[in-house]
């Protein structure tokens, strides 16, 4: 059974860089049928798509976040990562990693999510 | 403001049927796939419907999806109290080259 697990600091200071890693187990991140992505959800609000990466390194980003977002992949560790720079309180959210099915465009497996709070 | 538009809330009695709409444009729903997700309180979203009307293994056939033009609809029959959740539609936007979600609809089973 595929599992995804987010890890990283739960508290980040304003203007600093948020860094999260998603570890994939039970399946290979190099499977060409899938991409790997990040979605976030501010407390009490809806889902926001952040971006996705193919194992080759090809990325797609939300235009509203593109200038601050970097998603990378480490195939040797079966992990992919998110960096969001210059964070503000508005970036406080639960961050989810997910597997994106290329043929249907859906996210079929999700991590449990991790709350990241931006505060001094 | 979300690219896809959903009603904030819907409600119905146990055993009844409810539909949730998702309105988009030709750059997303009109020419791309549609997915639906269920988010129970305090949990991660779960895929309910993909490719407009397909159900992943384990999702009961009480859940169905359809699409017409630039809008999609999620249908739930035989409502149960356990169906109380937030429901989100999702699609790919070819103009943005990015994924997009609706704002979410809270389902209350009265």
């Amino acid at each position: 059974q595929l599992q995804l697990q987010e890890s990283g600091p739960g508290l980040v200071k304003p203007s600093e860089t948020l860094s999260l890693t998603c570890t994939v187990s039970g399946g290979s991140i190099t499977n060409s049928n899938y991409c790997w992505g990040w979605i976030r959800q501010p407390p009490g609000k809806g889902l926001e798509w952040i971006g996705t990466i193919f194992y080759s390194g090809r990325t797609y980003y939300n235009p509203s976040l593109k200038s601050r977002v970097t998603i990378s992949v480490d195939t040797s560790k079966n992990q992919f990562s998110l960096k969001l720079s210059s964070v503000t309180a508005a970036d406080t959210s639960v961050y989810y990693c997910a597997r994106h099915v290329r043929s249907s465009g859906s996210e079929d497996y999700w991590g449990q999510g991790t709350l990241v709070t931006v505060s001094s | 403001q979300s690219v896809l538009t959903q009603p904030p809330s819907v409600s119905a009695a146990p055993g009844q049927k409810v539909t949730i709409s998702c309105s988009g444009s030709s750059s997303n729903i009109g020419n791309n796939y549609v997915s639906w997700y269920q988010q129970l309180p305090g949990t991660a979203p779960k895929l309910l419907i993909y490719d407009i009307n397909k159900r992943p293994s384990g999702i009961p056939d009480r859940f169905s999806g359809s699409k017409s033009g630039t809008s999609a609809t999620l249908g739930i029959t035989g409502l149960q109290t356990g169906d109380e959740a937030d429901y989100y539609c999702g699609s790919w936007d070819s103009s943005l080259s990015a994924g997009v979600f609706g704002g979410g609809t809270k389902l209350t089973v009265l």
Side-chain angles (χ1 to χ4, degrees), chain A residues 14-91:
Chain A
S15 78
E16 295 189 346
T17 296
L18 178 160
S19 296
L20 295 174
T21 296
C22 183
T23 300
V24 179
S25 57
S28 174
I29 205 167
T30 60
N31 188 317
S32 61
N33 293 314
Y34 308 109
C35 293
W36 305 90
W38 292 94
I39 297 104
R40 71 180 183 178
Q41 185 172 34
K45 296 188 178 180
L47 303 173
E48 181 178 29
W49 189 88
I50 299 173
T52 191
I53 189 167
F54 192 52
Y55 76 92
S56 64
R58 178 74 166 96
T59 54
Y60 296 90
Y61 295 136
N62 184 326
S64 69
L65 298 171
K66 188 172 184 176
S67 64
R68 299 194 291 130
V69 171
T70 302
I71 298 177
S72 58
V73 64
D74 186 335
T75 56
S76 67
K77 295 182 179 179
N78 228 34
Q79 294 176 334
F80 62 104
S81 298
L82 168 71
K83 290 189 185 300
L84 181 65
S85 64
S86 305
V87 297
T88 69
D91 295 309

Side-chain angles (χ1 to χ4, degrees), chain B residues 57-100:
Chain B
S57 174
I59 301 300
D61 59 6
R62 300 189 299 107
F63 296 91
S64 64
S66 63
K67 185 179 102 166
S68 178
T70 59
S71 293
T73 302
L74 172 69
I76 311 173
T77 59
L79 276 172
Q80 303 171 1
T81 55
D83 296 331
E84 284 203 338
D86 293 323
Y87 292 84
Y88 294 90
C89 58
S91 184
W92 182 261
D93 192 293
S94 300
S95 296
L96 299 174
S97 291
V100 289

Side-chain angles (χ1 to χ4, degrees), chain B residues 16-39:
Chain B
Q16 297 300 303
K17 174 182 178 178
V18 72
T19 60
I20 298 173
S21 62
C22 176
S23 177
S25 68
S26 58
S27 63
N28 41 67
I29 292 176
N31 286 287
N32 287 300
Y33 32 68
V34 180
S35 305
W36 288 92
Y37 304 87
Q38 177 193 60
Q39 186 176 33

